[in-house]
């Protein structure tokens, strides 16, 4: 099966579409949130911004979720670390010791290739056609000044662009410094994870929705965010520590 770094999804004519922030092994929290929203697996869809694994207690469930027909994920930098660790001892040490990958050491040897093979096929970007326009999903960042179609094309052949999409926080840092950022042309909205924020941040045509689901020691974080993008825009959150629901208009 050839690898495709980008995938397009047509409009969901039967149900709702949601984008979930960085899950980081907090799959039970995602299940609880979906249950409270009366999620219909036969009609609704969930799109992940990546970083399904590490830090949380249930990273081993990643394959279970990626096998669901209704669940679609792009790659995050933590999935990239898992893949790179197979060939690089320094990455393996850094990832398992300092970046939440200790769970990998408990995964039976015969299961590991299966996980790697599935994660290696995850695209780097999605575009979804919705009632609210075209919504892009990228894990970390898109360089300023590059239109969406050019960004998508460059993912095919430019390793630096892949690195940027998985790791960069330049746009967010610029926003924090200047109080604004310029939109990406050619797309109505782009949803990012990667950068933990105390509450979902909507600026220009971007939404940052990583609210630190597995970072339970930080009082400002520890929440899992679902952004409904179709047919209406709406925010749903679960405080992972207290299981308290929080809903807001997007």
């Amino acid at each position: 099966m050839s690898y495709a770094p980008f995938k397009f999804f047509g409009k969901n004519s039967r149900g709702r579409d949601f984008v979930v922030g960085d899950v980081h092994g907090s799959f039970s929290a995602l299940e609880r949130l979906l249950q409270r929203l009366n999620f219909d697996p036969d009609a609704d869809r969930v799109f992940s911004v990546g970083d399904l694994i590490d830090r949380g207690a249930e990273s081993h469930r990643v394959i279970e979720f990626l096998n669901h027909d209704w669940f679609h994920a792009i790659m995050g930098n933590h999935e990239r670390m898992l893949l790179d660790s197979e060939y690089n001892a320094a990455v393996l040490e850094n990832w398992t010791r300092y970046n939440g990958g200790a769970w990998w050491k408990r995964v039976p040897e015969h299961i590991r290739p299966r996980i790697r093979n599935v994660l290696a096929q995850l695209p780097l970007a999605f575009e979804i056609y919705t009632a609210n326009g075209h919504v892009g999903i990228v894990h970390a960042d898109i360089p300023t000044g590059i239109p969406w179609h050019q960004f998508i094309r460059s993912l095919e052949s430019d390793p630096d662009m892949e690195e940027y999409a998985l790791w960069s926080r330049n746009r967010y840092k610029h926003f924090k410094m200047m109080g604004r950022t310029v939109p990406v042309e050619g797309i109505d909205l782009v949803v990012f994870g990667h950068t933990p924020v105390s509450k979902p941040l909507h600026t220009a045509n971007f939404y940052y929705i990583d609210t630190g689901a597995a970072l339970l020691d930080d009082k400002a974080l520890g929440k899992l965010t679902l952004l409904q993008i179709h047919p209406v825009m709406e925010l749903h959150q679960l405080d992972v520590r207290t299981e308290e629901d929080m809903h807001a208009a997007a």
Side-chain angles (χ1 to χ4, degrees):
M1 184 164 58
S2 61
Y3 175 69
F6 170 71
K7 187 172 182 181
F8 177 84
F9 293 84
K11 186 184 282 190
N12 186 347
S13 59
R14 301 172 60 222
R16 299 169 293 173
D17 286 342
F18 301 90
V19 187
V20 64
D22 301 33
V23 173
H24 279 304
S26 303
F27 290 107
S28 289
L30 175 56
E31 287 174 322
R32 288 194 294 274
L33 192 46
L34 292 175
Q35 187 176 18
R36 292 172 192 185
L37 292 169
N38 295 313
F39 183 81
D40 180 355
D42 294 322
D44 301 334
R45 302 185 295 193
V46 174
F47 298 92
S48 161
V49 299
D51 279 6
L52 292 168
I53 58 170
D54 298 345
R55 298 199 178 109
E58 301 172 312
S59 293
H60 61 280
R61 296 185 66 191
V62 63
I63 294 296
E64 172 192 339
F65 274 75
L66 289 172
N67 277 334
H68 289 312
D69 291 338
W70 50 265
F71 191 83
H72 309 276
I74 59 170
M75 188 180 296
N77 61 302
H78 281 258
E79 283 82 24
R80 172 51 65 197
M81 280 191 282
L82 185 155
L83 295 170
D84 290 347
S85 71
E86 183 180 7
Y87 307 104
N88 189 317
V91 171
L92 178 65
E93 173 72 9
N94 181 273
W95 169 53
T96 55
R97 180 170 288 198
Y98 303 113
N99 283 290
W103 66 278
W104 185 246
K105 295 181 176 179
R106 300 188 293 273
V107 174
E109 202 68 46
H110 69 283
I111 301 291
R112 291 181 181 183
R114 210 170 123 223
I115 295 177
R116 285 195 197 100
N117 290 341
V118 173
L119 296 185
Q121 290 300 315
L122 296 180
L124 296 166
F126 286 156
E127 181 178 335
I128 304 131
Y129 181 42
T130 76
N132 301 292
H134 291 259
V135 178
I137 303 177
V138 178
H139 179 62
D141 206 353
I142 297 173
T144 302
I146 294 182
W148 178 254
H149 64 89
Q150 185 180 336
F151 167 71
I152 292 306
R153 272 205 314 268
S154 63
L155 289 175
E156 296 274 359
S157 56
D158 186 349
D160 291 337
M161 192 63 79
E162 175 179 337
E163 186 89 356
Y164 206 97
L166 288 173
W167 290 94
S168 172
R169 289 194 171 101
N170 288 346
R171 184 181 296 273
Y172 180 78
K173 289 175 183 175
H174 183 265
F175 169 78
K176 294 299 283 185
M177 195 164 55
M178 305 296 292
R180 56 187 167 78
T181 184
V182 294
V184 166
E185 292 179 20
I187 192 84
D188 295 300
L189 179 71
V190 181
V191 186
F192 292 127
H194 187 55
T195 300
V197 289
S198 57
K199 58 183 180 181
L201 171 64
H202 189 194
T203 178
N205 62 342
F206 302 101
Y207 237 120
Y208 290 86
I209 64 166
D210 174 16
T211 43
L215 299 174
L216 305 183
D217 293 335
D218 189 329
K219 290 181 180 177
L221 301 173
K223 301 176 186 71
L224 183 66
T225 295
L226 267 180
L227 174 65
Q228 183 174 333
I229 57 171
H230 176 80
V232 298
M233 296 283 289
E234 198 169 50
L235 274 169
H236 308 277
Q237 278 190 309
L238 181 80
D239 189 316
V240 179
R241 282 169 296 233
T242 65
E243 297 193 20
E244 178 187 350
D245 289 336
M246 292 156 280
H247 302 286

